[in-house]
C-alpha cells in the first residue's frame, strides 16, 4: 500500500505544471500545508450539578481548532454516548454536549470528548459530572447536655449526607443570626463541625444549633437545637488540659493552603503551642483561632514532616503529633510538540513528567492506546502520520500533551533568503551550510567554480551536507555550489566566498587593584578588516556584562571605532574578577583579559556553632571568611534570645577583644535556661563585613532562681481565708524547668513560718483556708521562686490581713414602688456594720422567672436606693436585698412584691394637617383611645426640635393641639401620649421654614405647602382692591 501511495504521488508530481510543482512541494512556504489536525481550545471540566438547580441541564464544553473542521463524539465511562437513542437526554451543540433534565442514576460519571478530522483524532481530558446535594439534618430531638461549670463540653454537629465533602460550619445561640463568637475558650472544627467549649461558664446556658453550609451548591441547613445546661459548682474545680480536636495524618498538594486543628478542654483554658519535629515551623505560617489552627499557605515539599500541638494549663498538659506529607499533581518536564518529518527519516517521541507519586505515562494515537514509555520510529512511513497524545497520571490528576506528526515527501528545496556572499577570516575556519529540505534525505555534493570537491586535509563534507574549510587562504576565494538530489528531484545553491583580514587585539586591558567604592577602568583596542564593522563586548568571569541593566557601576566609552574603555564606578567586592574584552566582527572575534582586585571589609565567617556551654556562658567556634585582601583585625559576636524579638545585641566575651586570628571565643553574662543563637562579624581596616549565618538555637544550662516575685500583698477573700497575691517572675528569670513559688506566712505574733509550694510559673495567688481563722488577723507573708535546681531568695516581708466576715444583718426595705410599666424604685435602711462594700438588689417575676434566673443590680455601700429598669408591664415582681463585702453576701431582706403599671398605648396620635398663622404653626391631632389593658391618657407631650438635632423644647398639654413658633430653619414636631405607664408611640411631622405670608391661613401636609388653583382668582381680586 505504501509503495502504491508513493507511485501515485510521483505520477501526480510528474504530470503537474513545473510552476505548480514548486508551490505544491515548497517546504519553505507557509501556505504549503494549510490543513492540520484538531487542537483543543476548550475542554470539559469537572461539574457539580445541584439537585435543586432551576436550570435543568448540564453543558460540557468541547471546542477544537482544525482544518478541515473537526467532528465530535463523546464517551461516558469509556463507552460511546448514543445521541440518536430515542428519549436520549443528550444533544450536541457544535462540540458541546448538553444533558437535558439530568438524572443522578444515568448521568453521573467521567466524560471525554473526541475531535476528529482527516489528520487524526484527539481525546480531551476527562471531566466528571456529579450531583451536589445537602440533605436536611435529622428531625430527631437533640438531648440536652448537662455539664458542671469549669468542665469542658462538646456539642456534636452530626452533619447530614452531602456531596461534595467540603462543608463550612457555624453555630448559633438561641436564635439566628446570633453566631457563637470563637475565641480561646470556644472552637468550631471545620472538619467535624463540632462545637468545643474548653471551660463551661454560666453564661453559656442556652440552645445551640449547628449550621452546615455547602459553598459548591450555595445551600445551608440548620440542626435542631441542643440545650446546654451548666450546673453550678462552688468552688469551681480545675481540670488538666485534654486535647479533643487532633489533626489527622495529612497529605497536601504542593501550593495548597492547609489548616491543622488542635483544641483542648480544661480549666484554666489551655494554651495551644505548635512545633515541627527537627525544625522550625514554615516561615509563612500563621497561628489562628487563639492557637487552635495552624495555617500554612502555599505549602512546599520542604514543609513536610511531623507536626505537633501541645495544650498546657496549670493543671497539666496533653500533646499530639501526626505527619504532614506533601505531594504534587503531574507536571511536564518534557513533552511532545507538532513535528514535520521527512519520509524514511528516524524520529523519537518522548514525554517526561514529574509529580508525587511519580506519574505513569501512556500514549494514544488518534484516540487509540499505544504501548511503551516513548515512541521510536525507524524509517517513517506515511502510515505513521497522525495525532499523538501522551498522558501523565497519578492519584492527584491527569495532564495531556497533544501533537501532530506529519510525514512529508518532497524534492530538495533551498530557502529563498540565503546570503549570496560568505565572508571568512584569513587563517580561520569556515563552515558553509547546505540546508536543503527534502524527503527522503538527499545526497549532497559540492563544487568550487567548476571543480568537484571531495574530503581532503583542509576540506570536509559533514554528515548533514555542510562544507568545512580549515586554515582559510586567499586562494580559497571563489563560487561554491551545493547540489542536493533525491528520487523526487534535485536543486542547487551557489554562494561566493570572500577572504578578510583577521581581527587582532592591539591594546589589551591591564590589571587593577582598588578599594570598595573606588572608580577604575579597563581599556581595549583592536585592528580589523575595513570591509567589516567591529563591536567590543565586556564580560566578568565569563558572564557578559549588561551595560544597560547595571549602568550604576558600568559605563562603556568608545574612542573611535577601534578603541573601547570600560569604566567601573563605585567598585564593590562582587565586581572583582577576570574581565575579558572581546573584539567581534561578523566574521571572527578575539579576546584579551585582565584581573581586577577589589579590597574591602571581610566576608562573613562560616560554620558558627556552640562547642561548650554552662548556665551563664557558651563557647563558640567558627571558620574564617574571606579577608578580601586586607587582614582581619578583630571579631564581634552578637546574640539574640527567645525574648528579644529578632533584635541582635553585642555579646560580652572572654577575652573581651576577639583578635583576627581567633576562631573560638566564650560569650559570658548570659541568662540560665534561655534559648540563644549567635552570629559573628569580622572587621579589618576597611570596615566590618556581613554577619555569619546564625548558629543553631540552644539553651544554656539551668540554675537556681535569683529573682523574687514582686508586689507581694493580698487580704480580703471569703470568710476564714487568707489570700496572698504577687506579681509572677518574668520568663527570662525562670532559670530552669519545674518553676513555681514558695509562699511563707505566719501570724504577726508567732515565730514559726508556714510554707506552701505553688506550682506553675504563671501562678499569682494562694488562698489559705482555716475554719478557726479570726477575721482581720494580721499576717506576715513573703514569697520566693523555685525550680528543679533549688530555691531562690525571698521577697520583702509584707503585712496583710485575713478576710473579714460576710455581713451578718439583712437590710430593711423602706419602700418599693412601680414608677411606670417598665421601671420601679426601691430604698432601704443602710446596714449599721462597717464592713459593707455594697448592696445587691435581686428581682424576678414569681410566675415566669426562676429565682436562679433573677436580675441583679449592684449598688455602692454609700447608697440606699436604686432604680430598676427594663421591667415587664402589668407584672408582679419580688424584690430582695443583701449586703456584701469581699467575704461574700449577707442574709437576704424580707421579700417585697410590686406590680408594674399597664403599658402606654402602642399607637401614635394621628396628626391632622397643621395650619400656619402668621409666625406660628398650629398642630392638632386626634386623641389616642387606650385599650382595656393599656394605661389611661393623662396628657400629651410635644417635642419641638430643629431637624437633625438630638434635643429640643418639651411641652406638656391636656389639649389636642398646640401652637408653635416658626423659625428660619426646618423643625420637627414629635407628639406622644403620656400615661402613668410611660410615654406611648411617637407621631412626627416636619414644619416649613418661616416665609412671610398674607391673607388667610394656609393648610399644608408635611413640610410642603399645598397649592390649589382655586385660590389664584381670589388672590388677584385682593390685589385689585388694594390698588383701588
Amino acid at each position: 500500500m505504501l509503495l502504491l501511495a508513493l507511485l501515485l504521488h510521483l505520477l501526480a508530481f510528474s504530470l503537474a505544471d513545473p510552476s505548480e510543482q514548486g508551490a505544491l512541494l515548497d517546504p519553505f512556504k507557509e501556505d504549503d500545508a494549510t490543513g492540520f489536525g484538531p487542537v483543543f481550545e476548550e475542554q470539559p471540566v469537572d461539574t457539580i450539578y445541584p439537585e435543586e438547580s432551576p436550570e435543568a441541564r448540564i453543558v460540557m464544553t468541547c471546542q477544537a481548532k482544525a482544518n478541515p473542521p473537526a467532528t465530535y463524539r463523546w464517551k461516558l465511562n469509556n463507552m460511546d454516548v448514543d445521541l440518536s437513542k430515542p428519549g436520549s437526554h443528550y444533544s450536541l451543540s457544535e462540540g458541546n454536549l448538553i444533558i437535558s433534565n439530568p438524572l443522578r442514576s444515568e448521568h453521573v460519571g467521567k466524560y471525554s470528548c473526541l475531535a476528529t478530522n482527516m489528520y487524526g483524532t484527539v481525546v480531551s481530558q476527562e471531566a466528571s459530572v456529579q450531583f451536589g446535594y445537602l440533605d436536611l439534618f435529622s428531625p430527631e430531638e437533640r438531648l440536652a447536655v448537662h455539664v458542671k461549670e469549669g468542665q469542658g463540653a462538646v456539642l456534636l454537629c452530626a452533619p447530614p449526607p452531602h456531596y461534595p465533602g467540603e462543608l463550612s460550619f457555624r453555630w448559633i445561640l438561641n436564635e439566628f443570626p446570633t453566631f457563637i463568637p470563637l475565641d480561646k475558650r470556644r472552637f468550631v472544627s471545620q472538619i467535624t463541625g463540632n462545637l468545643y467549649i474548653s471551660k463551661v461558664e454560666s453564661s453559656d446556658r442556652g440552645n445551640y444549633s449547628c449550621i452546615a453550609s455547602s459553598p459548591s451548591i450555595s445551600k445551608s441547613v440548620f440542626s435542631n437545637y441542643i440545650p446546654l445546661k451548666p450546673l453550678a459548682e462552688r468552688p469551681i474545680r480545675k481540670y488538666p488540659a485534654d486535647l479533643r480536636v487532633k489533626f489527622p495524618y495529612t497529605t497536601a498538594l504542593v501550593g495548597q493552603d492547609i489548616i491543622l486543628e488542635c483544641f483542648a478542654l480544661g480549666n484554666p483554658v489551655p494554651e495551644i503551642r505548635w512545633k515541627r519535629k527537627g525544625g522550625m515551623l514554615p516561615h509563612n505560617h500563621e497561628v489562628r483561632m487563639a492557637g487552635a489552627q495552624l495555617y500554612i499557605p502555599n505549602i512546599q515539599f520542604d514543609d513536610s514532616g511531623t507536626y505537633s500541638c501541645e495544650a498546657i494549663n496549670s493543671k497539666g498538659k496533653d500533646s499530639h503529633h501526626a505527619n504532614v506529607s506533601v505531594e504534587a499533581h503531574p507536571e511536564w518536564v518534557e513533552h511532545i510538540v507538532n513535528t514535520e518529518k521527512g519520509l524514511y527519516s528516524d524520529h523519537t517521541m518522548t514525554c517526561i513528567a514529574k509529580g508525587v507519586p511519580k506519574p505513569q505515562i501512556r500514549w494514544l494515537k488518534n484516540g487509540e492506546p499505544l504501548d511503551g514509555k516513548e515512541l521510536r520510529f525507524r524509517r517513517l512511513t506515511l502510515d505513521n502520520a497522525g495525532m499523538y497524545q501522551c498522558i501523565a497520571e497519578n492519584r492527584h490528576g491527569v495532564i495531556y500533551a497533544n501533537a501532530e506528526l506529519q510525514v512529508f515527501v518532497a524534492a530538495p528545496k533551498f530557502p529563498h533568503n540565503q546570503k549570496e556572499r560568505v565572508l571568512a577570516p584569513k587563517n580561520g575556519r569556515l563552515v558553509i551550510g547546505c540546508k536543503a529540505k527534502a524527503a527522503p534525505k538527499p545526497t549532497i555534493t559540492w563544487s568550487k567554480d567548476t571543480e568537484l570537491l571531495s574530503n581532503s586535509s583542509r576540506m570536509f563534507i559533514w554528515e548533514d551536507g555542510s562544507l568545512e574549510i580549515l586554515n582559510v587562504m586567499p586562494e580559497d576565494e571563489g563560487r561554491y555550489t551545493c547540489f542536493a538530489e533525491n528520487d523526487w528531484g534535485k536543486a542547487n545553491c551557489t554562494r561566493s566566498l570572500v577572504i578578510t583580514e583577521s581581527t587582532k587585539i592591539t591594546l589589551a586591558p591591564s590589571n587593577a587593584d582598588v578599594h570598595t567604592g573606588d572608580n577604575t577602568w579597563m581599556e581595549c583596542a583592536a585592528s580589523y578588516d575595513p570591509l567589516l564593522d567591529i563591536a567590543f563586548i565586556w564580560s566578568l568571569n565569563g558572564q557578559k556584562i549588561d551595560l544597560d541593566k547595571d549602568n550604576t557601576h558600568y559605563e562603556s566609552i568608545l574612542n573611535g571605532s577601534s578603541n573601547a574603555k570600560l569604566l567601573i564606578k563605585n567598585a564593590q567586592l562582587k565586581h572583582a574578577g577576570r574581565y575579558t574584552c572581546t573584539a567581534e566582527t561578523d566574521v571572527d572575534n578575539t579576546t584579551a583579559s585582565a584581573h581586577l582586585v577589589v579590597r574591602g571589609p571581610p566576608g562573613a565567617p562560616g560554620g558558627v556553632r556552640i562547642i561548650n556551654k554552662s548556665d551563664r556562658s557558651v563557647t563558640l567556634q567558627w571558620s574564617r571568611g574571606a579577608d578580601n585582601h586586607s587582614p582581619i583585625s578583630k571579631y564581634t559576636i552578637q546574640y539574640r534570645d527567645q525574648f528579644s524579638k529578632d533584635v541582635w545585641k553585642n555579646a560580652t566575651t572572654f577575652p573581651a577583644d576577639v583578635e583576627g586570628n581567633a576562631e573560638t571565643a566564650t560569650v559570658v553574662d548570659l541568662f540560665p535556661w534561655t534559648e540563644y543563637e549567635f552570629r559573628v562579624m569580622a572587621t579589618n581596616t576597611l570596615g566590618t563585613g556581613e554577619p555569619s549565618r546564625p548558629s543553631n538555637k540552644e539553651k544554656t544550662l539551668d540554675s537556681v532562681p535569683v529573682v523574687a516575685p514582686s508586689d507581694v500583698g493580698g487580704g480580703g477573700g471569703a470568710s476564714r481565708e487568707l489570700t496572698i497575691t504577687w506579681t509572677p517572675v518574668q520568663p527570662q528569670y525562670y532559670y530552669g524547668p519545674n518553676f513555681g513559688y514558695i509562699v511563707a506566712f505566719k501570724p504577726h505574733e508567732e515565730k514559726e513560718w508556714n510554707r506552701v509550694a505553688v506550682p506553675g510559673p504563671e501562678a499569682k495567688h494562694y488562698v489559705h483556708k482555716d475554719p478557726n481563722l479570726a477575721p482581720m488577723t494580721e499576717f506576715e507573708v513573703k514569697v520566693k521562686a523555685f525550680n528543679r535546681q533549688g530555691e531562690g531568695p525571698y521577697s520583702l516581708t509584707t503585712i496583710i490581713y485575713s478576710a473579714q466576715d460576710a455581713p451578718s444583718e439583712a437590710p430593711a426595705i423602706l419602700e418599693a414602688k412601680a414608677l411606670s410599666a417598665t421601671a420601679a424604685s426601691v430604698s432601704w435602711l443602710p446596714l449599721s456594720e462597717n464592713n459593707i462594700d455594697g448592696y445587691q438588689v435581686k428581682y424576678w417575676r414569681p410566675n415566669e422567672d426562676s429565682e436562679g434566673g433573677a436580675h441583679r443590680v449592684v449598688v455602692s455601700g454609700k447608697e440606699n436606693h436604686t432604680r430598676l429598669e427594663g421591667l415587664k408591664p402589668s407584672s408582679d415582681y419580688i424584690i430582695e436585698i443583701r449586703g456584701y463585702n469581699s467575704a461574700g453576701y449577707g442574709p437576704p431582706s424580707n421579700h417585697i412584691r410590686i406590680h408594674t403599671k399597664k403599658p402606654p398605648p402602642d399607637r401614635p396620635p394621628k396628626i391632622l394637617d397643621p395650619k400656619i398663622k402668621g409666625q406660628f404653626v398650629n398642630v392638632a391631632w386626634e386623641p389616642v383611645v387606650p385599650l382595656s389593658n393599656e394605661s389611661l391618657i393623662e396628657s400629651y407631650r410635644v417635642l419641638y426640635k430643629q431637624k437633625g438635632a438630638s434635643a429640643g423644647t418639651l411641652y406638656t398639654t391636656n389639649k389636642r393641639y398646640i401652637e408653635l413658633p416658626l423659625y428660619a430653619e426646618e423643625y420637627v414636631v414629635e407628639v406622644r401620649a403620656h400615661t402613668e405607664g410611660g410615654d406611648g408611640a411617637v407621631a412626627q411631622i416636619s414644619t416649613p421654614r418661616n416665609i412671610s405670608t398674607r391673607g388667610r391661613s394656609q393648610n399644608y401636609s408635611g413640610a410642603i405647602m399645598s397649592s390649589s388653583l382655586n385660590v389664584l382668582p381670589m388672590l388677584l381680586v385682593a390685589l385689585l382692591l388694594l390698588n383701588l
Side-chain angles (χ1 to χ4, degrees), residues 170-173 178-182 186-188 195 208-209:
R170 290 184 295 177
W171 284 74
I172 59 174
L173 175 60
T178 306
F179 294 106
I180 300 295
L182 303 182
R186 289 170 288 201
F187 176 70
V188 175
L195 170 64
Y208 291 76
S209 174

Side-chain angles (χ1 to χ4, degrees), residues 30-97:
E30 294 181 0
D31 295 336
D32 290 343
T34 56
F36 56 88
V39 178
F40 282 116
E41 295 181 310
E42 292 185 53
Q43 299 191 57
V45 296
D46 291 342
T47 300
I48 296 175
Y49 175 74
E51 289 189 340
E52 301 170 10
S53 173
E55 185 176 358
R57 71 173 193 162
I58 300 172
V59 178
M60 305 293 284
T61 57
C62 182
Q63 295 295 321
K65 179 173 65 175
N67 188 11
T71 59
Y72 300 91
R73 57 193 175 93
W74 284 79
K75 289 189 174 184
L76 169 58
N77 299 329
N78 289 322
M79 301 291 291
D80 285 331
V81 173
D82 187 355
L83 301 173
S84 60
K85 181 179 177 181
S88 172
H89 293 252
Y90 297 109
S91 60
L92 207 59
S93 174
E94 296 182 340
N96 300 335
L97 181 68

Side-chain angles (χ1 to χ4, degrees), residues 913-935:
D913 288 345
K915 296 180 180 180
I916 295 176
K917 295 182 179 180
Q919 303 299 315
F920 294 89
V921 59
N922 185 284
V923 180
W925 55 87
E926 293 181 355
V928 177
V929 179
L931 304 176
S932 60
N933 62 343
E934 296 175 337
S935 294

Side-chain angles (χ1 to χ4, degrees), residues 54 78 160 177 202 212 247 369 494 556 598 640 684 731 738 789 792 806 878 886 897 969:
N78 289 322
S202 59
F247 65 95
T494 301
S556 179
V598 180
R640 64 182 176 188
N684 62 16
N738 303 332
Q789 292 292 339
I878 292 177
S886 59
R897 185 184 293 258
E969 300 83 7

Side-chain angles (χ1 to χ4, degrees), residues 165-184:
E166 298 82 11
L167 294 179
S168 64
F169 300 95
R170 290 184 295 177
W171 284 74
I172 59 174
L173 175 60
N174 295 328
E175 59 183 1
F176 184 85
T178 306
F179 294 106
I180 300 295
L182 303 182
D183 50 30
K184 191 175 181 180

Side-chain angles (χ1 to χ4, degrees), residues 234-256:
R234 294 294 182 271
I236 295 176
R237 294 177 58 192
K238 294 186 177 181
Y239 301 91
D242 178 15
L243 279 170
R244 290 299 186 92
V245 179
K246 302 177 182 180
F247 65 95
Y249 177 97
T250 302
T251 299
L253 290 175
V254 68
Q256 273 187 337

Side-chain angles (χ1 to χ4, degrees), residues 845-892:
R845 293 181 295 172
N847 298 325
E848 288 83 1
D849 304 329
S850 65
E851 187 174 351
H855 300 277
R856 290 168 174 82
V857 174
V858 175
V859 180
S860 165
K862 299 177 181 180
E863 302 289 340
N864 73 327
H865 61 87
T866 190
R867 182 182 174 97
L868 309 180
E869 303 280 359
L871 307 180
K872 300 291 184 182
S874 303
S875 298
D876 286 325
Y877 277 88
I878 292 177
I879 301 175
E880 170 194 286
I881 305 174
R882 293 172 183 252
Y884 73 88
N885 59 22
S886 59
Y889 290 96

